[in-house]
Amino acid sequence: MPAEPISPPEASLDVAGKPRPTPAPPEPEHGVEAASSEAARLAFLSRAGELLGASLEWRTVLHRLAELAVPVLADWCAVDVITEDGSVERVAAAHREPEKTALVHELSRLRPVDLVSPGGISEALRTGRPVVMPVVTEEMLPAMVREPAQLDVVRRLGIRAGLVLPLLARGRVLGAVSLVRGDEQVSFDAPELEVAMELARRASLSMDNALLYEEARTAQSFSARLQTVTAALSRAATAEDVARVMVRDGLEASGAARVAIAELSADGCLRVLGSVGYSQAWMEGLDGQRVAGLPVLARAAEQRESQWFSRLEELLPSAGFVESDVAALGEGSRAFLPLLTERGILGFVALAWGEPRMFPPLERAFLDALAHQCSQALERAALYGTLRERGERLHHALQMGKEAEERLFFLLEASRALAEHLDDVEWTLEHVARVAASSVASSCLVELVGPDGTLRCVASAHQEPSRDASVLSVLGGEGALSLSRECFQSGEPRFVPDVDAALCERLAERSEQQRALLEALRPASLLVVPVRTRGRTLGVITLGTSPPQRPLAMSDVSMMEELARRVAVALENASLYRDAQAAVRLRDEFLSVASHELKTPLTSLKLQHGLIDRALGPDSREKVAPRLSTAMRQVQRLATLVDHLLDVSRVSLGRLALEPTEVDLGQAVRDAVERMEEVFAVAGCSVRVDIPEPLQGRWDSLRLDQVLVNLLTNAAKYGAGRPVQVTAAEAGDGVVRLSVRDEGIGISETDLPRLFGRFERAVSDRHYGGLGLGLYISRQIVEAMGGRIEVESREGVGSVFTVHLPRAAG
Ligand code: ADP
């Protein structure tokens, strides 16, 4: 039907409206005098304003509007609103005859109003302007309805004139109220039009207030829900925690039926963190998918905006999934929220509701805020993760450093002990066990193979000294753990990083002793390494740890293998050392016996020389004397050498005995010089003795003479024919000092420190004969007397040998 748009009330209207014969009051039971009367109109409008303003629920407001309009302004009335999804809903109706109110609803049920049809309610809703139908005739009816079934309903309701007024607020069309008259004299006159429009305006105002109120309450509710989720998210430390919160609290806050949250990995694939309401198969299908292959998510990522789908049909074209699969999840609405950060997209949250619905701006803002909080929580979790990981790495590095240092210290300490105490391997091994049990392990056992081929515990230590004894006590006869025996037999290390009850049982089942040993050690980790050398296993070393000591690691295996190598070397060295000691003792015994045996024929030879000398007549003396004298000197030299050898063997065997008597050092020197007159003469050296006073002391005179003869012989031998001076004097503190000075070849600085050692010489054998034993024996004698001997010398200038002797020594 042609609909005539009208202007606002103050404009002149081409409406021949007459006052309603019986205008009804806002309270129909009382009635009003006349709507045409200005006062009545004002009263009606004021009462209407009050009633409309009394509710903050917009449906109630619109119900009241309908009730107010009928029958005062119309015979029947319908109120339609534009819903969020753009459809039109009839929310209120009234009819002068109440039983016909249902027919007004029936009209809309048969064919809901839309926003595109020409004229009528559609036009008012679309344009926001009133639509007036001054006269409606029977002939016009078919054109007015869009559904044949509506024709009958309209006839029963009655329609002769109509007026559709938009409900407007803040420039927005909220809905429309339709006022319809069914009797003959029907047209709305100007005052009625004005009242109707004012009524619509007040209704709009009240409805807008109610909507604002509802919006405020919704906003409040969203903000409360957001706070709950934010609080829960703030406690999330990992991405999985975040997902758990979203699945539980996020789902509840959003009112959705399903939720899924997925992370976006660097390679553009999804990793599902959590979901509820979706089947496992669906989620597994999603996991690992490329975002680029899912248009909805790709668009959300590209536009950095959430994607909203009020109903399934909107989603299907762009879902990117098999349509039937998506459809199987139901009709409802969906929202795909990108998890945004400044740097990019962390992932997505998908929400789904069971039924189609619109997403009002407030709800969109709320869900976007929810996603924002979720992204922040994920970012925080990633940061925590990085920090935690770094902290752990640092801790690990420190720990590794500490452990490495501990191992190094242990190895150094053990090696030092092994190298220093060649002669006491048992002490060394006990020491090594003690150091091990106080640094890298809680307990340490060293077992060596005995002559009978079985293992014997030679050292044991436990971190708790009280348990040390108990370890040893249970090691009594049979000793080793079966693990140690296995290692011994195979020659391979045995490492058990985590000793569990089953292993303990297996180890202990062999004997009660094993059980007692395990009870004493209580190991959490065990390591047995073989001590091997040249293909032979000499024994095993067992390390055990118990909390709080850290368990043993692979680095400990390498460390212990290294230690075992060093122990093997030490054991071999000790064995060689023992053999060498025995050999030296054998040699010294031989020297002692040999030189002793040599002395008897030498003494006899000397005696024979004396007898020959005395028996020589003057003639034969002249011929023989020089030869005899040479023979006697050679015999004396031989005797001295034999004496030296005998003394060396005595010193080595600790048999250098002294027999102190009262001796005057000055006299002893003079006697020795006198006896050696010929030696000095042959050497071409003059000797001066400078000892002004008697120097009495208790010394072994023969040994003292031996020292003097050695020093004087050297002075003659190395004195280069230059003068030799012997001095002696009191040096204080009961010590006398004797010096033999020559101006001979001297000794180089590098040779000085070793001169007093056995067989040490600083001259070539070709030029000077000798065994290098004179100074060695002299030093042994002087030290046995409680004194000391030292030398000062410069090459080519001469030497001074000085002896300090306590008078009461010997
Ligand atoms: P020997 O004289 O038999 O070699 P000694 O033990 O008496 O053995 O002396 C050791 C070495 O000390 C000698 O070989 C010589 O090199 C050096 N020596 C000892 N006395 C002197 C000295 N007065 N002047 C220079 N060198 C000396």
Side-chain angles (χ1 to χ4, degrees):
M1 92 174 204
E4 207 174 302
I6 58 167
S7 311
E10 48 274 13
S12 75
L13 296 171
D14 181 21
V15 179
K18 286 189 179 159
R20 297 274 294 146
T22 50
E27 294 139 336
E29 64 274 21
H30 296 118
V32 285
E33 298 299 312
S36 57
S37 112
E38 186 65 22
R41 268 205 313 271
L42 284 176
F44 169 77
L45 285 174
S46 131
R47 179 79 185 122
E50 235 172 77
L51 276 172
L52 292 170
S55 177
L56 281 172
E57 209 286 305
W58 62 269
R59 283 178 188 272
T60 311
V61 170
L62 297 181
H63 276 292
R64 285 192 182 155
L65 169 63
E67 283 161 9
L68 280 165
V70 174
V72 175
L73 290 169
D75 293 321
W76 56 275
C77 156
V79 186
D80 299 278
V81 295
I82 303 175
T83 63
E84 280 158 358
D85 64 356
S87 62
V88 178
E89 183 190 347
R90 178 146 299 171
V91 293
H95 198 284
R96 176 191 284 272
E97 298 161 42
E99 64 277 8
K100 289 191 178 169
T101 301
L103 288 177
V104 184
H105 283 293
E106 178 68 5
L107 261 188
S108 120
R109 200 189 59 74
L110 286 171
R111 176 73 188 241
V113 178
D114 58 47
L115 292 175
V116 290
S117 302
I121 303 171
S122 300
E123 186 165 319
L125 288 172
R126 195 169 57 245
T127 61
R129 301 171 72 181
V131 174
V132 67
M133 295 168 284
V135 178
V136 180
T137 62
E138 179 59 31
E139 298 73 48
M140 291 162 71
L141 287 183
M144 281 176 65
V145 296
R146 285 183 298 282
E147 181 68 39
Q150 286 179 312
L151 206 55
D152 179 46
V153 182
V154 170
R155 285 196 183 111
R156 286 168 64 195
L157 285 169
I159 178 163
R160 288 287 174 267
L163 175 64
V164 187
L165 299 172
L167 298 171
L168 299 160
R170 288 177 285 145
R172 199 156 62 99
V173 181
L174 304 176
V177 55
S178 311
L179 303 169
V180 185
R181 288 179 176 174
D183 53 25
E184 291 305 321
Q185 302 160 338
V186 286
S187 294
F188 292 88
D189 61 14
E192 280 175 331
L193 203 56
E194 201 177 311
V195 170
M197 292 183 81
E198 183 57 22
L199 184 66
R201 201 182 62 76
R202 291 191 182 197
S204 304
L205 206 65
S206 296
M207 182 183 175
D208 192 35
N209 275 344
L211 284 174
L212 283 174
Y213 175 72
E214 190 181 277
E215 218 167 83
R217 286 197 39 182
T218 310
Q220 206 175 21
S221 147
F222 279 146
S223 132
R225 285 187 257 169
L226 193 61
Q227 265 178 25
T228 311
V229 182
T230 306
L233 283 173
S234 71
R235 289 188 290 274
T238 62
E240 285 69 24
D241 286 351
V242 172
R244 264 191 291 281
V245 172
M246 286 304 285
V247 160
R248 190 189 57 213
D249 304 302
L251 183 76
E252 195 186 324
S254 65
R258 298 190 294 277
V259 63
I261 171 166
E263 245 184 347
L264 184 61
S265 56
D267 57 359
C269 291
L270 292 175
R271 186 172 76 93
V272 175
L273 291 173
S275 73
V276 71
Y278 293 96
S279 71
Q280 197 180 343
W282 176 262
M283 281 296 114
E284 280 170 6
L286 193 64
D287 207 40
Q289 286 245 19
R290 296 191 64 77
V291 168
L294 302 169
V296 175
L297 299 187
R299 197 165 58 233
E302 192 192 308
Q303 297 175 350
R304 291 177 66 86
E305 269 177 16
S306 301
Q307 305 294 310
W308 313 95
F309 302 93
S310 294
R311 56 188 69 246
L312 177 66
E313 303 81 67
E314 292 175 17
L315 168 67
L316 285 179
S318 56
F321 289 102
V322 177
E323 282 198 10
S324 57
D325 288 352
V326 182
L329 287 172
E331 278 297 312
S333 50
R334 273 96 169 158
F336 297 92
L337 318 172
L339 297 172
L340 305 168
T341 67
E342 278 176 17
R343 279 171 286 121
I345 312 273
L346 295 181
F348 301 90
V349 173
L351 291 164
W353 287 260
E355 60 294 317
R357 60 198 291 281
M358 290 300 293
F359 295 98
L362 214 53
E363 188 175 3
R364 291 184 185 210
F366 160 69
L367 292 174
D368 279 340
L370 195 68
H372 180 64
Q373 291 299 332
C374 180
S375 328
Q376 285 196 338
L378 279 179
E379 259 196 324
R380 267 199 311 274
L383 194 66
Y384 288 152
T386 313
L387 287 177
R388 214 176 17 243
E389 203 179 300
R390 277 196 200 155
E392 276 164 13
R393 272 215 300 270
L394 199 65
H395 178 78
H396 186 66
L398 284 175
Q399 191 60 27
M400 295 302 281
K402 210 178 118 223
E403 287 173 14
E405 194 182 330
E406 205 172 61
R407 286 187 196 102
L408 194 65
F409 164 78
F410 165 65
L411 209 53
L412 284 176
E413 176 58 22
S415 311
R416 191 188 60 75
L418 288 168
E420 272 180 16
H421 300 273
L422 272 184
D423 50 340
D424 194 351
V425 182
E426 299 227 333
W427 177 90
T428 310
L429 292 178
E430 264 170 34
H431 180 72
V432 168
R434 261 197 311 278
V435 178
S438 63
S439 56
V440 292
S442 310
S443 57
C444 177
L445 302 177
V446 184
E447 293 159 270
L448 296 182
V449 65
D452 59 353
T454 60
L455 282 177
R456 199 170 50 86
C457 181
V458 294
S460 82
H462 198 284
Q463 217 160 50
E464 289 170 36
S466 59
R467 283 213 248 158
D468 212 340
S470 69
V471 171
L472 274 180
S473 73
V474 294
L475 279 170
E478 145 186 44
L481 286 169
S482 50
L483 207 62
S484 315
R485 269 192 305 279
E486 281 169 30
C487 167
F488 177 64
Q489 278 154 12
S490 66
E492 295 296 328
R494 285 282 182 277
F495 178 37
V496 189
D498 189 7
V499 179
D500 56 13
L503 179 77
C504 273
E505 201 42 50
R506 183 171 77 76
L507 292 180
E509 71 193 2
R510 202 164 151 262
S511 71
E512 274 313 303
Q513 202 178 24
Q514 298 284 311
R515 192 177 295 280
L517 179 58
L518 282 168
E519 181 48 38
L521 295 176
R522 271 184 245 144
S525 58
L526 272 174
L527 168 62
V528 194
V529 288
V531 177
R532 286 172 66 78
T533 179
R534 281 183 270 141
R536 259 183 343 120
T537 306
L538 307 178
V540 295
I541 306 175
T542 308
L543 281 194
T545 64
S546 35
Q549 174 81 29
R550 65 168 176 84
L552 295 164
M554 276 316 286
S555 309
D556 294 301
V557 179
S558 333
M559 169 199 74
M560 284 308 286
E561 284 180 323
E562 179 57 33
L563 177 76
R565 262 193 295 281
R566 295 184 190 196
V567 167
V569 170
L571 286 173
E572 256 205 333
N573 283 347
S575 158
L576 289 174
Y577 180 73
R578 271 196 304 273
D579 292 351
Q581 292 276 75
V584 167
R585 208 170 303 117
L586 204 66
R587 184 204 64 193
D588 288 341
E589 290 285 358
F590 167 77
L591 274 181
S592 164
V593 173
S595 34
H596 212 268
E597 289 304 312
L598 282 171
K599 275 185 83 87
T600 317
L602 275 178
T603 315
S604 162
L605 202 57
K606 267 193 205 168
L607 203 66
Q608 292 303 323
H609 281 155
L611 288 175
I612 292 170
D613 188 34
R614 254 177 278 143
L616 285 177
D619 290 348
S620 48
R621 175 174 298 279
E622 199 180 322
K623 285 187 201 155
V624 176
R627 287 191 188 146
L628 183 63
S629 164
T630 306
M632 286 169 87
R633 268 205 313 280
Q634 291 305 327
V635 169
Q636 181 53 43
R637 206 167 148 220
L638 196 59
T640 308
L641 289 175
V642 170
D643 278 344
H644 277 169
L645 287 177
L646 191 60
D647 283 342
V648 169
S649 70
R650 278 190 187 126
V651 169
S652 299
L653 296 169
R655 292 180 194 160
L656 191 70
L658 296 178
E659 288 175 23
T661 53
E662 203 62 34
V663 179
D664 172 12
L665 182 64
Q667 192 52 50
V669 171
R670 280 187 290 274
D671 289 350
V673 169
E674 197 180 314
R675 264 187 287 122
M676 293 183 62
E677 215 170 287
E678 198 187 336
V679 175
F680 281 108
V682 171
C685 299
S686 63
V687 185
R688 192 153 68 86
V689 177
D690 190 1
I691 306 174
E693 48 184 357
L695 291 169
Q696 291 298 129
R698 282 188 65 75
W699 299 297
D700 183 317
S701 61
L702 284 178
R703 291 299 181 193
L704 182 63
D705 182 64
Q706 203 177 341
V707 173
L708 293 172
V709 169
N710 281 341
L711 296 182
L712 290 169
T713 308
N714 284 348
K717 193 162 151 191
Y718 306 112
R722 302 186 63 83
V724 172
Q725 188 183 7
V726 186
T727 56
E730 173 68 47
D733 284 340
V735 174
V736 293
R737 187 181 56 230
L738 165 90
S739 298
V740 179
R741 174 189 300 271
D742 66 63
E743 297 167 17
I745 61 171
I747 305 156
S748 78
E749 210 172 318
T750 49
D751 291 328
L752 278 178
R754 60 180 180 87
L755 279 193
F756 295 98
R758 247 192 310 188
F759 305 112
E760 294 291 355
R761 312 199 66 220
V763 287
S764 82
D765 294 339
R766 271 198 301 137
H767 296 103
Y768 299 94
L771 289 179
L773 288 174
L775 287 182
Y776 170 71
I777 291 166
S778 301
R779 179 178 166 189
Q780 300 302 320
I781 294 171
V782 170
E783 286 180 357
M785 288 177 173
R788 64 190 157 86
I789 180 166
E790 54 201 27
V791 59
E792 274 178 67
S793 182
R794 276 178 62 198
E795 235 177 335
V797 177
S799 314
V800 184
F801 284 85
T802 306
V803 176
H804 298 260
L805 276 181
R807 285 178 192 268

